[in-house]
Amino acid sequence: MAQDASTWAGSWAGSRALLRRLRDLMAGSGAAEQRLHKIVTLIAANLVAEVCSVYVRRAGDVLELFATEGLSQDAVHRTRLQLGEGLVGDIAAHARPLALADAQSHPQFALRTETGEEIYSSFMGVPIVRDGRVLGVLAVQNRTPRTYADEELETLETIAMLLAEIVTSGELVAPGELHADANLLATPSRLEGVRASPGLTMGTALLHQPKIMITNVLADDPEIEQSRIDEALSQVQSALDTALERPDLAGAGEHRDILEMFRMFAQDRGWIKRINEAIQTGLTAEAAVQMVQDDTRARLSQASDRYLRERLLDFEDLTNQMLTRLVGSNQAPAPIGENAILVARGLGPSELLSYRAGLLSGIILEEGSATAHIAIVARALDLAMVVQVPGILDRVSHGDDVLIDADEGHVFLRPADDILESFNAAMMVRDDRQRAYAAIKNLPAISQDGTEVRLMINAGLPVDAARLSEVGAQGIGLYRTEISFLAKAEFPNIAAQAEIYSQVFDSTDDDQPIVFRTLDIGGDKLFPSIADAGEENPAMGWRSLRISLDRPAVLRQQLRALILAAAGRNLHVMFPMLTDVGEFSAARSLLERELERAKHLGTPRPKTIKVGAMLEIPALAWSLSSLLPKIDFLSIGSNDLAQFFFAADRNNPRIDGRYDALSPTFLSLLASLREQAEDQAVPINICGEIAGRTLEAMALVGIGYRSLSMSAGSVGPIKSMIRSTDIAKLSSFTEELLLLPISSLRTRLRAYAKDHNIDL
Ligand code: PEP
Ligand code: MG
């Protein structure tokens, strides 16, 4: 008899009993499909659901109904959905569960009349996942609209973990359908990804994570599993403690910070609690760790916010370490040759740091993000890195020849001779270029017709400041304070913040401005203590200065730390994400209060203070007449400004490149901002990514910008571009271009550069 939902929820013993019965059914006799049918019937009864169905992924990314209790039996093998189609397709495409009281009003709902499902209101489905690959979907439905309890969802996820066994057994569909095409592993291929750390390199593929196979999913005794988890966790924690004591990390600021942060993840209560609960439902320690990771991956990989997605890599790293301790690696460790190119799905910074220095020459990640900590570490180690290369793990084998062009985001596997030849030539050209940039490092960025452009760098960690002199830039135009926060185990107090800012001051000359931008965090991405999770649209939500103004204590602490660190020096403070002048005034008055406080207490104050505004929200562009008289400088955050101007999420790969910052509309806006600032004699600068791209920077210089801030690696190429440009000529050309009724000026600007020998 079916149990009542309220007694089911939270009943771990019930969950374990159900899993045992399911396991017996799976191991029983009869054809796999018959057993599957018994399984769905049992699940439906236990979860008090009228429907329980299993969809299996087939070749061609189709999800086919294989067994159902409650839907029409005629629909079995007839109902087929494409990945992404309907609720089932959506679950599979995003590898994330869905629980809906009113499924039919969900925008993804796609009615299949042959199933007879129009009478069911509520729906709960979970992906069937193994080794990160979605193999199918398990779903239950109810007639009455009901809200499924979290425990029910967890139980369904646990069952799905078990069902993965029967799907991978080869009894339902041929194993070949579940795996990538073997041909993909033999032929040369070229893959595209996203640049994360520049460089061109060639080497041999080294698969980071020989797959850890979980063979034991169900446990007999949760207590034993619990102690296995505790043991593994304490081993991981003590390994981190030992790593932190490594003498070579003693002075290595950001590496150390990152490991510290890891220690925090290893102590994350939410994460540990979910693993413990999964054990209570009847899973083995390793299956519980894997299930929580699959779930975390599904939730975080959907986040439009990059910091959240980066946290995913940290958890992947931790999961791998836990699994290695729980079940060991099932494959012999791969021998590492010289020039290894590390290939992984995701990689955490501590994993990268565990490779012996000098052995790696590049990194390719199937997932990952260009702004993750691993990218910071890769850049610090001078390793070329490309991320978001879909399908790389299906195509690469250990020991394959690999070429990485991280400047363009290209990856070549098993390259043919002609590719190899042109790659060698490209490497030689790149080396020559680097030598040429080094040669002009100490020369100013002066154009052919004698106009100087100020080049500054964007930084986020104290060590970045050292790159100022290395690349020959004139200051830090944007110091993203939240990056240092990110690498800390805890929200840093005033003294800890002041220490970070002092280090930045100490590593630069007095005459080099450092523009400290106040915290630019979004939603709860970094600090759950400050904000809540789960905003629909975090880019336009409670972020950045909005948080700072609503939680003034946080901003005041930061300002106090900046004042302390800047004692006797020149302090530049900049407020991000301003929507109107009132927000600037409110933020500025907090700064004034902190300065008053310092005066009152007699603490040393900065020698000079300049306060700037970041223009990232179009509304502010219409407030300049009242804003400009209040500020000492204006900086254009073109990354956010373009996102809001074009209504195009800067993190959404689907619309990446759809609109061009080199459009007459966007450039006209930038030109008008520059004119208004200059009319009021307010210095203006651009610190978004476009300032560091040669063609875009050429256009910016053409429309009158004389101060650009960019990542350190861009300074050489931009300086070289400016030194080869006649700015007066370029300006009259761009002036005419802005009148053209076209969506991109890219081709024309490139042609101009070519005709005028501008070094791009
Ligand atoms: C910008 O939006 O252009 C900017 C520089 O800030 P961030 O990229 O940190 O949002
Ligand atoms: Mg911004």
Side-chain angles (χ1 to χ4, degrees), residues 20-71:
R20 271 195 292 272
R21 287 177 64 196
L22 286 171
R23 181 177 51 184
D24 292 345
L25 274 180
M26 278 171 62
S29 57
E33 285 208 27
Q34 279 166 0
R35 279 180 277 141
L36 199 59
H37 185 79
K38 288 186 191 155
I39 287 170
V40 291
T41 312
L42 184 62
I43 299 171
N46 273 270
L47 289 188
V48 205
E50 278 114 15
V51 174
C52 175
S53 313
V54 171
Y55 295 80
V56 176
R57 183 172 179 170
R58 307 216 55 170
D61 283 341
V62 167
L63 292 149
E64 183 173 308
L65 180 65
F66 258 68
T68 183
E69 162 68 24
L71 297 183

Side-chain angles (χ1 to χ4, degrees), residues 392-540:
I392 177 98
L393 288 174
D394 284 343
R395 290 171 168 79
V396 73
S397 298
H398 187 71
D400 278 348
D401 289 335
V402 182
L403 309 179
I404 300 182
D405 179 349
D407 294 347
E408 298 294 333
H410 301 321
V411 169
F412 301 90
L413 301 179
R414 303 166 292 273
D417 285 351
D418 53 337
I419 299 278
L420 212 57
E421 232 167 76
S422 55
F423 195 83
N424 270 324
M427 274 175 94
M428 265 148 62
V429 171
R430 190 175 202 277
D431 289 349
D432 287 349
R433 275 185 161 250
Q434 294 301 334
R435 272 193 288 276
Y437 299 146
I440 59 169
K441 179 178 104 174
N442 295 320
L443 301 178
I446 292 190
S447 69
Q448 289 286 311
D449 55 332
T451 303
E452 178 157 14
V453 178
R454 187 164 71 151
L455 303 187
M456 305 208 281
I457 63 165
N458 294 345
L461 289 167
V463 287
D464 291 341
R467 299 209 65 192
L468 258 183
S469 52
E470 192 187 309
V471 298
Q474 291 159 278
I476 301 180
L478 168 66
Y479 187 87
R480 293 177 161 109
T481 55
E482 66 278 1
I483 306 265
S484 330
F485 277 52
L486 232 179
K488 290 279 164 203
E490 285 165 2
F491 195 89
N493 60 21
I494 297 175
Q497 290 188 50
E499 170 64 30
I500 298 172
Y501 308 141
S502 294
Q503 280 176 28
V504 185
F505 275 116
D506 291 346
S507 47
T508 49
D509 295 340
D510 259 3
D511 58 342
Q512 291 176 323
I514 308 161
V515 178
F516 288 97
R517 173 176 77 178
T518 61
L519 272 189
D520 185 26
I521 57 179
D524 79 329
K525 67 192 94 162
L526 299 179
F527 308 105
S529 53
I530 298 185
D532 289 334
E535 290 198 4
E536 281 279 311
N537 198 343
M540 296 208 254

Side-chain angles (χ1 to χ4, degrees), residues 360-680:
L360 300 181
S361 71
I363 305 166
I364 307 170
L365 300 185
E366 179 145 341
E367 295 168 359
S369 132
T371 49
H373 290 129
I374 171 110
I376 298 176
V377 178
R379 283 195 285 264
L381 300 178
D382 211 15
L383 295 174
M385 170 158 130
V386 179
V387 297
Q388 292 171 37
V389 185
I392 177 98
L393 288 174
D394 284 343
R395 290 171 168 79
V396 73
S397 298
H398 187 71
D400 278 348
D401 289 335
V402 182
L403 309 179
I404 300 182
D405 179 349
D407 294 347
E408 298 294 333
H410 301 321
V411 169
F412 301 90
L413 301 179
R414 303 166 292 273
D417 285 351
D418 53 337
I419 299 278
L420 212 57
E421 232 167 76
S422 55
F423 195 83
N424 270 324
M427 274 175 94
M428 265 148 62
V429 171
R430 190 175 202 277
D431 289 349
D432 287 349
R433 275 185 161 250
Q434 294 301 334
R435 272 193 288 276
Y437 299 146
I440 59 169
K441 179 178 104 174
N442 295 320
L443 301 178
I446 292 190
S447 69
Q448 289 286 311
D449 55 332
T451 303
E452 178 157 14
V453 178
R454 187 164 71 151
L455 303 187
M456 305 208 281
I457 63 165
N458 294 345
L461 289 167
V463 287
D464 291 341
R467 299 209 65 192
L468 258 183
S469 52
E470 192 187 309
V471 298
Q474 291 159 278
I476 301 180
L478 168 66
Y479 187 87
R480 293 177 161 109
T481 55
E482 66 278 1
I483 306 265
S484 330
F485 277 52
L486 232 179
K488 290 279 164 203
E490 285 165 2
F491 195 89
N493 60 21
I494 297 175
Q497 290 188 50
E499 170 64 30
I500 298 172
Y501 308 141
S502 294
Q503 280 176 28
V504 185
F505 275 116
D506 291 346
S507 47
T508 49
D509 295 340
D510 259 3
D511 58 342
Q512 291 176 323
I514 308 161
V515 178
F516 288 97
R517 173 176 77 178
T518 61
L519 272 189
D520 185 26
I521 57 179
D524 79 329
K525 67 192 94 162
L526 299 179
F527 308 105
S529 53
I530 298 185
D532 289 334
E535 290 198 4
E536 281 279 311
N537 198 343
M540 296 208 254
W542 196 52
R543 64 173 278 205
S544 195
L545 195 72
R546 298 167 184 179
I547 296 182
S548 302
L549 292 178
D550 291 355
R551 295 276 183 279
V554 176
L555 180 56
R556 284 184 61 186
Q557 283 181 16
Q558 182 171 41
L559 294 170
R560 203 173 295 173
L562 282 167
I563 292 168
L564 269 175
R569 315 195 243 207
N570 302 317
L571 176 62
H572 293 72
V573 176
M574 177 161 79
F575 297 116
M577 287 290 293
L578 292 158
T579 306
D580 60 33
V581 184
E583 289 181 342
F584 177 79
S585 305
R588 181 161 194 152
S589 74
L590 292 176
L591 175 64
E592 297 301 340
R593 274 172 69 179
E594 287 308 316
L595 288 167
E596 268 309 305
R597 186 180 177 276
K599 193 170 156 196
H600 188 70
L601 295 174
T603 35
R605 295 183 3 132
K607 188 160 74 181
T608 62
I609 299 172
K610 292 212 159 72
V611 188
M614 246 182 125
L615 196 148
E616 309 185 79
I617 297 178
L620 199 65
W622 278 268
S623 314
L624 286 188
S625 57
S626 44
L627 178 72
L628 289 169
K630 293 181 189 291
I631 61 176
D632 298 315
F633 61 93
L634 183 68
S635 191
I636 312 294
S638 52
N639 304 338
D640 275 310
L641 184 61
Q643 125 165 304
F644 299 127
F645 182 80
F646 292 113
D649 182 350
R650 65 191 258 196
N651 288 316
N652 184 341
R654 275 200 189 162
I655 44 170
D656 202 18
R658 186 175 183 112
Y659 307 103
D660 195 348
L662 291 180
S663 69
T665 51
F666 193 60
L667 289 178
S668 298
L669 170 65
L670 297 181
S672 135
L673 297 174
R674 202 262 311 149
E675 275 161 29
Q676 294 179 67
E678 275 177 15
D679 284 351
Q680 304 276 329

